[in-house]
Amino acid sequence: MGVPLLDLKAQYLELKDELDATVFDVMSNAAFIGGPKVKALEDQIAAYCGTEYAVACGNGTDALFLIMAALGIHKGDEVITTPFTFFATIEAIAHVGAIPVFVDIEPGTYNMDVAQLEAAITDRTKAIMPVHIFGQCVDMDPLLEIAERHNLVVVEDACQAIGATYKGKMAGSLARAAAFSFFPSKNLGCAGDGGIITTDDADLAARARKLAQHGTSKKYYHDAFGTNSRLDSLQAAILSVKLPHLDRWNSERRAAAAVYDELLADTVLELPVVREYGEAVYHLYIVKAESAEMADKVMAALKDAGIGTALYYPLCLHEQEALNTLDGYVKPSLPAAESCNARTFALPAFPGITREQQDEVVAVVRAALS
Ligand SMILES: *Cc1c(COP(=O)(O)O)cnc(C)c1O
């Protein structure tokens, strides 16, 4: 029968009337850039995350870049992050001229191993960028304690973690600023590209907003080189309709994860570890095979059965070609992250997935492993 990795058409059909109405509304008002829909979404997201400010922008990559630029991170600075994330995390660091410095990950959660963080700090370190990978928060308390002791700013890459919590607080409210992505496949996705910054820091919010609008202080007066990074009114309108459903979708993801946790517990696959300090939102349900060959075999069987799967991520960031273009980059050895190369892959666990669909996935996985 087949099971997609994510079912975006079903999500549209669920909210079709409301979504169609709001798109029609934007079209008939012809206010496409800025305006009340964008402001409304910013207010909604700030309230949802529990921050003072939210600044909408073009995508999650820009959200990270705008934060880096607004913080004044520049050439020669080092920003500590994780090697197990989407490339955009370090692109934002490189685009302000800084060097990404990688800390190895914890097995099971795939998040930065905070116990190894302090050893990576040098006198050039300016910031730490934890990534709440696959929708589970990094262990922020010890991280923030280290940051404070070394006077470093902390920026969350929360692109995969909207709605996740850490000790009762929302992802996006845990550090100086955070970046979210509304790419269609994210837990809260729009109909194209979109992103937002959350922060309690009024100056940082204002600087990021200015940089997203060509460094404009007053129309056609520019006091900085910024960029063009806006969220379209259409995207904002769509997101405002979807946001009230996010918590339910995230709990459906958790329920789907619990089903796999149970049905795959006795297999050789390593299942995701969830730490007790918070609630994960399972942007992806990731399993780890004992070898790349085993991952290959299971994924081939899934694909043959029409079941969606993909490697996340096939190659760690510290091993990517692009890093060689950075002056002074020395590739570290990060065994925990490297052990994931070509071995960690996703199983369908989208909101609304049925028990029958999950049984089908599990049957194929088990047959391939036997
Ligand atoms: C998706 C993602 C981004 C980038 O977001 P875009 O909206 O695609 O630019 C950054 N970091 C992580 C961890 C992501 O998953």
Side-chain angles (χ1 to χ4, degrees):
M1 213 170 56
V3 185
L5 188 54
L6 176 65
D7 195 346
L8 285 177
K9 278 188 195 146
Q11 199 182 62
Y12 168 60
L13 293 175
E14 183 194 332
L15 302 176
K16 185 177 187 311
D17 291 346
E18 264 186 284
L19 287 169
D20 289 356
T22 202
V23 168
F24 181 80
D25 191 36
V26 173
M27 294 307 290
S28 41
N29 285 321
F32 299 119
I33 301 285
K37 300 274 192 200
V38 174
K39 174 74 171 74
L41 179 75
E42 289 179 339
D43 292 347
Q44 262 178 299
I45 293 286
Y48 181 78
C49 291
T51 58
E52 287 290 320
Y53 308 97
V55 179
C57 61
N59 52 68
T61 309
D62 281 357
L64 288 166
F65 162 74
L66 290 165
I67 295 169
M68 291 285 99
L71 286 168
I73 306 228
H74 56 70
K75 197 165 168 57
D77 292 343
E78 292 178 355
V79 178
I80 298 177
T81 189
T82 168
F84 206 61
T85 172
F86 179 55
F87 188 65
T89 308
I90 63 164
E91 234 169 0
I93 296 168
H95 279 165
V96 294
I99 298 269
V101 172
F102 298 101
V103 169
D104 209 355
I105 61 171
E106 301 174 324
T109 71
Y110 306 103
N111 269 327
M112 176 192 288
D113 182 359
V114 179
Q116 298 184 50
L117 167 62
E118 199 154 18
I121 296 174
T122 72
D123 52 9
R124 290 179 301 281
T125 308
K126 287 287 152 52
I128 306 168
M129 194 185 282
V131 181
H132 307 313
I133 203 69
F134 307 137
Q136 174 168 212
C137 288
V138 172
D139 193 2
M140 291 300 285
D141 276 354
L143 185 149
L144 291 166
E145 187 272 315
I146 293 166
E148 192 173 321
R149 206 145 30 75
H150 293 269
N151 199 20
L152 302 173
V153 56
V154 179
V155 175
E156 298 168 73
D157 179 341
C159 287
Q160 299 188 1
I162 192 159
T165 60
Y166 177 78
K167 299 186 180 173
K169 290 179 72 184
M170 301 297 284
S173 72
L174 303 171
R176 178 77 79 84
F180 289 101
S181 164
F182 300 127
F183 186 77
S185 67
K186 299 288 157 83
N187 290 34
L188 179 65
C190 60
D193 278 307
I196 206 161
I197 295 163
T198 53
T199 184
D200 285 333
D201 181 333
D203 290 341
L204 177 56
R207 278 199 300 279
R209 191 179 291 285
K210 191 197 318 199
L211 289 170
Q213 297 169 38
H214 304 288
T216 309
S217 50
K218 188 168 88 173
K219 202 165 190 191
Y220 300 120
Y221 291 82
H222 309 269
D223 48 45
F225 288 103
T227 186
N228 171 9
S229 186
R230 295 182 285 239
L231 183 70
D232 297 334
S233 302
L234 264 174
Q235 305 302 351
I238 288 167
L239 290 162
S240 286
V241 168
K242 286 182 158 195
L243 180 59
H245 302 273
L246 176 63
D247 286 344
R248 175 172 50 86
W249 289 333
N250 280 342
S251 59
E252 288 173 14
R253 287 174 185 269
R254 277 192 291 273
V259 168
Y260 286 134
D261 283 347
E262 189 187 326
L263 297 182
L264 296 171
D266 62 335
T267 66
V268 297
L269 296 176
E270 231 181 274
L271 305 184
V273 169
V274 173
R275 303 277 299 272
E276 274 167 13
Y277 53 57
E279 235 181 355
V281 293
Y282 290 95
H283 172 59
L284 292 166
Y285 186 90
I286 295 294
V287 297
K288 184 176 180 187
E290 285 179 323
S291 64
E293 294 68 37
M294 184 193 282
D296 220 42
K297 188 169 169 220
V298 176
M299 290 177 70
L302 287 167
K303 283 173 188 162
D304 281 348
I307 294 169
T309 185
L311 289 169
Y312 293 93
Y313 292 92
L315 182 65
C316 297
L317 295 191
H318 65 290
E319 302 179 278
Q320 299 282 348
E321 282 278 328
L323 275 297
N324 300 324
T325 64
L326 297 182
D327 256 359
Y329 177 72
V330 183
K331 187 172 98 180
S333 162
L334 305 171
E338 285 158 27
S339 81
C340 296
N341 284 340
R343 282 173 55 186
T344 46
F345 58 97
L347 300 179
F350 54 85
I353 191 171
T354 64
R355 177 59 192 250
E356 289 67 35
Q357 287 175 311
Q358 290 196 269
D359 284 340
E360 193 179 326
V361 174
V362 169
V364 173
V365 169
R366 283 185 164 282
L369 290 173
S370 66

Short mmCIF file of all heavy atoms in Angstrom, two decimals, residues 59-62 64 85-86 88-89 131 133 157 159-160 181-183 186 193-194 313, ligand 1:
data_model
loop_
_atom_site.label_atom_id
_atom_site.label_comp_id
_atom_site.label_asym_id
_atom_site.label_seq_id
_atom_site.Cartn_x
_atom_site.Cartn_y
_atom_site.Cartn_z
N ASN A 59 13.43 32.57 5.84
CA ASN A 59 13.61 31.13 6.05
C ASN A 59 14.42 30.91 7.33
O ASN A 59 14.91 31.88 7.93
CB ASN A 59 14.30 30.48 4.84
CG ASN A 59 15.57 31.20 4.48
OD1 ASN A 59 16.54 31.17 5.22
ND2 ASN A 59 15.57 31.91 3.35
N GLY A 60 14.60 29.67 7.70
CA GLY A 60 15.32 29.36 8.94
C GLY A 60 16.80 29.67 8.85
O GLY A 60 17.43 30.07 9.84
N THR A 61 17.38 29.49 7.66
CA THR A 61 18.79 29.80 7.46
C THR A 61 19.04 31.29 7.70
O THR A 61 19.98 31.67 8.40
CB THR A 61 19.21 29.42 6.02
OG1 THR A 61 18.80 28.08 5.75
CG2 THR A 61 20.70 29.54 5.83
N ASP A 62 18.16 32.11 7.12
CA ASP A 62 18.28 33.56 7.33
C ASP A 62 18.08 33.92 8.80
O ASP A 62 18.73 34.83 9.32
CB ASP A 62 17.24 34.32 6.49
CG ASP A 62 17.66 34.44 5.03
OD1 ASP A 62 18.77 34.01 4.69
OD2 ASP A 62 16.85 34.99 4.25
N LEU A 64 18.91 32.28 11.39
CA LEU A 64 20.20 32.04 12.07
C LEU A 64 21.23 33.09 11.68
O LEU A 64 21.92 33.65 12.53
CB LEU A 64 20.73 30.64 11.70
CG LEU A 64 19.98 29.45 12.31
CD1 LEU A 64 20.40 28.16 11.60
CD2 LEU A 64 20.25 29.36 13.80
N THR A 85 23.68 17.96 12.26
CA THR A 85 22.57 18.88 12.01
C THR A 85 22.52 19.14 10.52
O THR A 85 23.37 18.67 9.76
CB THR A 85 22.76 20.20 12.79
OG1 THR A 85 21.77 21.16 12.39
CG2 THR A 85 24.13 20.83 12.52
N PHE A 86 21.51 19.89 10.09
CA PHE A 86 21.43 20.30 8.70
C PHE A 86 22.50 21.38 8.45
O PHE A 86 22.80 22.18 9.32
CB PHE A 86 20.03 20.82 8.37
CG PHE A 86 19.87 21.28 6.96
CD1 PHE A 86 20.17 20.44 5.90
CD2 PHE A 86 19.44 22.57 6.67
CE1 PHE A 86 20.05 20.87 4.59
CE2 PHE A 86 19.31 23.00 5.36
CZ PHE A 86 19.62 22.16 4.32
N ALA A 88 22.63 24.17 7.11
CA ALA A 88 22.29 25.59 7.30
C ALA A 88 22.83 26.14 8.62
O ALA A 88 23.17 27.33 8.71
CB ALA A 88 20.78 25.78 7.25
N THR A 89 22.91 25.30 9.64
CA THR A 89 23.40 25.75 10.94
C THR A 89 24.78 26.38 10.80
O THR A 89 25.03 27.48 11.30
CB THR A 89 23.49 24.55 11.92
OG1 THR A 89 22.23 23.87 11.95
CG2 THR A 89 23.86 25.00 13.32
N VAL A 131 21.70 22.87 18.72
CA VAL A 131 20.63 22.53 17.77
C VAL A 131 19.75 21.46 18.42
O VAL A 131 20.26 20.41 18.82
CB VAL A 131 21.23 21.98 16.46
CG1 VAL A 131 20.11 21.66 15.46
CG2 VAL A 131 22.23 22.95 15.86
N ILE A 133 18.09 18.77 17.88
CA ILE A 133 17.98 17.95 16.68
C ILE A 133 16.81 16.94 16.77
O ILE A 133 16.57 16.37 17.83
CB ILE A 133 19.34 17.23 16.38
CG1 ILE A 133 19.43 16.85 14.90
CG2 ILE A 133 19.56 16.02 17.27
CD1 ILE A 133 19.56 17.99 13.96
N ASP A 157 19.35 26.85 17.60
CA ASP A 157 18.79 26.46 16.30
C ASP A 157 17.62 25.54 16.63
O ASP A 157 17.80 24.35 16.91
CB ASP A 157 19.83 25.76 15.43
CG ASP A 157 19.25 25.33 14.08
OD1 ASP A 157 18.00 25.25 13.97
OD2 ASP A 157 20.03 25.07 13.14
N CYS A 159 15.03 25.01 14.64
CA CYS A 159 14.30 24.80 13.39
C CYS A 159 13.51 23.49 13.36
O CYS A 159 12.52 23.38 12.66
CB CYS A 159 15.27 24.87 12.21
SG CYS A 159 15.84 26.55 11.86
N GLN A 160 13.97 22.48 14.10
CA GLN A 160 13.27 21.19 14.10
C GLN A 160 12.43 21.00 15.37
O GLN A 160 11.92 19.91 15.60
CB GLN A 160 14.29 20.05 13.99
CG GLN A 160 15.10 20.11 12.71
CD GLN A 160 15.97 18.88 12.50
OE1 GLN A 160 15.98 17.96 13.29
NE2 GLN A 160 16.72 18.88 11.41
N SER A 181 12.35 27.49 11.48
CA SER A 181 12.09 27.38 10.04
C SER A 181 10.65 26.94 9.83
O SER A 181 10.14 26.10 10.57
CB SER A 181 13.02 26.33 9.43
OG SER A 181 12.56 25.95 8.14
N PHE A 182 10.01 27.51 8.80
CA PHE A 182 8.67 27.07 8.41
C PHE A 182 8.70 26.34 7.07
O PHE A 182 7.71 26.33 6.34
CB PHE A 182 7.72 28.26 8.35
CG PHE A 182 7.56 29.01 9.65
CD1 PHE A 182 7.75 30.39 9.70
CD2 PHE A 182 7.22 28.34 10.82
CE1 PHE A 182 7.60 31.09 10.89
CE2 PHE A 182 7.07 29.03 12.02
CZ PHE A 182 7.26 30.40 12.06
N PHE A 183 9.84 25.78 6.73
CA PHE A 183 9.94 24.93 5.53
C PHE A 183 8.79 23.91 5.59
O PHE A 183 8.44 23.45 6.68
CB PHE A 183 11.31 24.22 5.55
CG PHE A 183 11.61 23.44 4.31
CD1 PHE A 183 12.01 24.08 3.14
CD2 PHE A 183 11.51 22.06 4.31
CE1 PHE A 183 12.29 23.34 1.99
CE2 PHE A 183 11.78 21.32 3.17
CZ PHE A 183 12.17 21.97 2.01
N LYS A 186 8.78 20.94 8.02
CA LYS A 186 9.01 21.13 9.46
C LYS A 186 7.70 20.91 10.23
O LYS A 186 6.63 20.87 9.63
CB LYS A 186 9.59 22.52 9.73
CG LYS A 186 10.94 22.77 9.04
CD LYS A 186 12.08 21.99 9.69
CE LYS A 186 13.26 21.77 8.78
NZ LYS A 186 14.22 22.84 8.68
N ASP A 193 8.94 28.88 1.61
CA ASP A 193 9.96 29.13 2.62
C ASP A 193 9.48 30.17 3.63
O ASP A 193 8.75 31.10 3.28
CB ASP A 193 11.25 29.64 1.96
CG ASP A 193 12.09 28.51 1.40
OD1 ASP A 193 12.38 27.57 2.16
OD2 ASP A 193 12.44 28.55 0.20
N GLY A 194 9.91 30.01 4.86
CA GLY A 194 9.60 30.99 5.89
C GLY A 194 10.43 30.72 7.13
O GLY A 194 10.94 29.61 7.31
N TYR A 313 21.80 12.02 9.18
CA TYR A 313 22.29 12.63 7.95
C TYR A 313 23.32 11.69 7.37
O TYR A 313 24.03 11.02 8.12
CB TYR A 313 22.88 13.99 8.27
CG TYR A 313 21.80 14.96 8.70
CD1 TYR A 313 21.47 15.11 10.05
CD2 TYR A 313 21.07 15.67 7.76
CE1 TYR A 313 20.45 15.97 10.44
CE2 TYR A 313 20.07 16.55 8.16
CZ TYR A 313 19.75 16.68 9.49
OH TYR A 313 18.74 17.52 9.88
C1 LIG B 1 15.55 23.26 8.26
C2 LIG B 1 16.68 23.60 9.12
C3 LIG B 1 17.37 24.82 8.98
C4 LIG B 1 17.14 25.77 7.85
O1 LIG B 1 15.84 26.17 7.65
P1 LIG B 1 15.38 26.67 6.19
O2 LIG B 1 14.04 27.27 6.45
O3 LIG B 1 15.33 25.47 5.31
O4 LIG B 1 16.36 27.67 5.72
C5 LIG B 1 18.38 25.11 9.88
N1 LIG B 1 18.71 24.25 10.85
C6 LIG B 1 18.08 23.07 11.01
C7 LIG B 1 18.48 22.18 12.13
C8 LIG B 1 17.06 22.70 10.14
O5 LIG B 1 16.48 21.50 10.27
#
